[in-house]
Amino acid sequence: NSVREVHPEVSFAEMNGGRPMIHAKRSSSGRREREELIGTLWPGLDLNLDAGLPRGEFARDDFLDAVAALWSIRRYVHGLAACLPKRTVYDGYGLPMQIVA
């Protein structure tokens, strides 16, 4: 099945050893906290990839959320993701109702 749901804050909590982030994602402290966590898990990842994108169409926290989603899907593909709930439940279309992190 190729459809999976990711919630960035669940991903960040999983990255952070199961602990939620301390600061709000839109605050400068929250952005810094998430950037440092990403840098620890993906050393050398260029977190300035958003620098060339048009301003006003997204916020920095949106970019960090996208990186968190990529981290979770990468873990899912390699069989390492945590899934909520652990037992997969399916909707009326046969799609899994489960968040992967």
Side-chain angles (χ1 to χ4, degrees), residues 65-81:
D65 285 352
V67 173
L70 177 62
W71 180 83
S72 292
I73 291 303
R74 184 172 180 244
R75 285 172 38 92
Y76 177 77
V77 166
H78 292 286
L80 303 172

Side-chain angles (χ1 to χ4, degrees), residues 26 50-63:
R26 290 195 175 104
D50 63 334
L53 298 174
R55 295 288 167 215
E57 295 184 26
F58 73 97
R60 177 70 175 173
D61 62 285
D62 296 327
F63 175 75

Side-chain angles (χ1 to χ4, degrees), residues 32-61:
R32 190 169 40 259
E33 177 182 40
R34 285 157 181 78
E35 289 169 354
E36 288 172 4
L37 184 57
I38 290 168
T40 299
L41 296 171
W42 272 348
L45 179 67
D46 183 1
L47 287 178
N48 293 313
L49 294 173
D50 63 334
L53 298 174
R55 295 288 167 215
E57 295 184 26
F58 73 97
R60 177 70 175 173
D61 62 285

Side-chain angles (χ1 to χ4, degrees), residues 4-47:
R4 292 290 173 214
E5 182 176 357
V6 174
H7 188 288
E9 287 306 304
V10 173
S11 298
F12 280 119
E14 186 67 21
M15 285 181 197
N16 198 33
R19 296 177 312 277
M21 304 309 288
I22 296 171
H23 303 286
K25 71 179 193 170
R26 290 195 175 104
S27 70
S28 60
S29 296
R31 285 188 300 274
R32 190 169 40 259
E33 177 182 40
R34 285 157 181 78
E35 289 169 354
E36 288 172 4
L37 184 57
I38 290 168
T40 299
L41 296 171
W42 272 348
L45 179 67
D46 183 1
L47 287 178

